């Protein structure tokens, strides 16, 4: 079984500041891990994914995440926040290969202040 | 530009009525997911299919909800009878073999009055 916990339902940063969104996972099999972004009234868009290759994963819009097995974490970072990054972010996990369903965390709303 | 298409985008219906939501997955994808999103519960997985066969529908209220894939290009989610607590945004997503990612549609915003 898989599950995801996102720490902090709301995160507020100033424009230009570091963005850090936290995600911890639980999985009984080697996981695939994902970060998705949702803008208002839109569907979810994939930011990046970890599928057992490099542990540091780079995604779109300057985001990256690092898979840390010892900490069961997959935190999302961006060095410098932009106003357009304001959105809701979801971490998700699935079983590797062709095995599992995609399970989402509760989401973190990112606010970017001018 | 391949994308998941959901219809309708918005639906307002009266309590007790049947609601059918449709999804056209990306051509060639063999996995289809149905999610419900609400403020209180977040994103809940209702059901998912692989190669048109239901793999897990444990998140779906069986008495009123049903999900099917009549063919590889169409997935449906039905609610009968609908209730106000079903008001939510329903997302369909499809994924390629290997579970490497899921692509989401724009969602159907359902309001049951």
């Amino acid at each position: 079984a898989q599950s995801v916990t996102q720490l902090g339902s709301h995160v507020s940063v100033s424009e230009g500041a570091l963005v850090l969104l936290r995600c911890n996972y639980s999985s009984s099999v080697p996981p695939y891990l994902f970060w998705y972004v949702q803008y208002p009234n839109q569907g979810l868009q994939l930011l990046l994914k970890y599928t057992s290759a490099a542990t540091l994963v780079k995604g779109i819009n300057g985001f990256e995440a690092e898979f840390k097995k010892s900490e069961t974490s997959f935190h999302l970072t961006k060095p410098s926040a932009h106003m357009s990054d304001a959105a809701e972010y979801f971490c998700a996990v699935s079983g590797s290969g062709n095995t599992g369903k995609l399970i989402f965390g509760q989401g973190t709303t990112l606010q970017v202040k001018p | 530009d391949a994308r998941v298409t959901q219809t309708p985008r918005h639906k307002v219906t009266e309590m007790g009525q049947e609601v059918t939501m449709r999804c056209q997955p990306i051509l060639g994808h063999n996995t289809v997911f149905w999610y419900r999103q609400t403020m209180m519960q977040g994103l809940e997985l209702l059901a998912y299919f692989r190669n048109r066969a239901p793999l897990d529908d444990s998140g779906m209220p069986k008495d009123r909800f049903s999900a099917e894939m009549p063919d590889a290009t169409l997935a449906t989610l039905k609610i009968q009878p609908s209730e106000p607590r079903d008001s939510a945004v329903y997302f369909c997503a499809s994924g390629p073999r290997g579970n490497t990612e899921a692509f989401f549609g724009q969602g159907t915003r359902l309001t049951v009055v």
Side-chain angles (χ1 to χ4, degrees):
Chain A
Q2 288 87 31
S3 67
V4 167
T5 302
Q6 290 184 240
L7 301 175
S9 58
H10 288 85
V11 170
S12 181
V13 301
S14 297
E15 191 174 19
L18 172 72
V19 175
L20 171 61
L21 304 182
R22 300 176 187 274
C23 172
N24 287 89
Y25 71 91
S26 172
S27 180
S28 55
V29 298
Y32 284 174
L33 293 159
F34 309 84
W35 276 100
Y36 283 82
V37 61
Q38 185 180 31
Y39 299 103
N41 299 314
Q42 298 289 318
L44 278 72
Q45 178 184 0
L46 182 69
L47 273 179
L48 49 79
K49 61 183 178 183
Y50 166 77
T51 55
S52 75
T55 56
L56 182 61
V57 181
K58 295 187 184 299
I60 61 171
N61 301 338
F63 284 93
E64 62 182 38
E66 187 172 8
F67 171 68
K68 292 187 177 180
K69 185 178 179 180
S70 61
E71 299 177 6
T72 60
S73 70
F74 191 58
H75 302 330
L76 181 70
T77 61
K78 182 174 181 178
S80 177
H82 193 275
M83 296 296 291
S84 61
D85 295 327
E88 189 159 17
Y89 292 79
F90 293 91
C91 183
V93 63
S94 76
S96 59
N98 209 28
T99 58
K101 52 193 176 185
L102 190 60
I103 302 297
F104 285 85
Q106 286 293 92
T108 298
T109 300
L110 176 66
Q111 180 188 22
V112 182
K113 298 177 291 185
Chain B
D1 185 24
R3 61 181 66 189
V4 175
T5 304
Q6 289 186 249
T7 56
R9 289 293 312 277
H10 302 271
K11 177 72 175 180
V12 180
T13 191
E14 293 185 347
M15 183 173 62
Q17 296 299 304
E18 177 177 302
V19 175
T20 298
M21 289 168 272
R22 293 177 174 80
C23 169
Q24 181 177 0
I26 293 173
L27 189 65
H29 283 187
N30 74 330
T31 306
V32 172
F33 302 89
W34 281 106
Y35 290 90
R36 176 171 62 185
Q37 186 177 36
T38 61
M39 289 291 292
M40 295 299 296
Q41 300 297 326
L43 273 166
E44 302 174 274
L45 179 64
L46 297 176
Y48 82 111
F49 293 75
R50 181 156 295 132
N51 299 321
R52 296 176 55 200
L55 284 192
D56 188 339
D57 60 3
S58 59
M60 211 163 60
K62 301 292 192 303
D63 56 338
R64 300 183 300 109
F65 284 62
S66 63
E68 295 180 345
M69 280 200 75
D71 62 60
T73 65
L74 177 65
T76 62
L77 180 66
K78 292 185 181 181
I79 308 174
Q80 168 62 20
S82 58
E83 298 181 1
R85 60 181 167 148
D86 300 329
S87 297
V89 181
Y90 291 81
F91 286 104
C92 175
S94 71
R97 293 182 185 278
N99 253 13
T100 54
E101 59 194 285
F103 295 80
F104 279 75
Q106 294 286 76
T108 294
R109 183 175 296 275
L110 174 66
T111 304
V112 183
V113 298

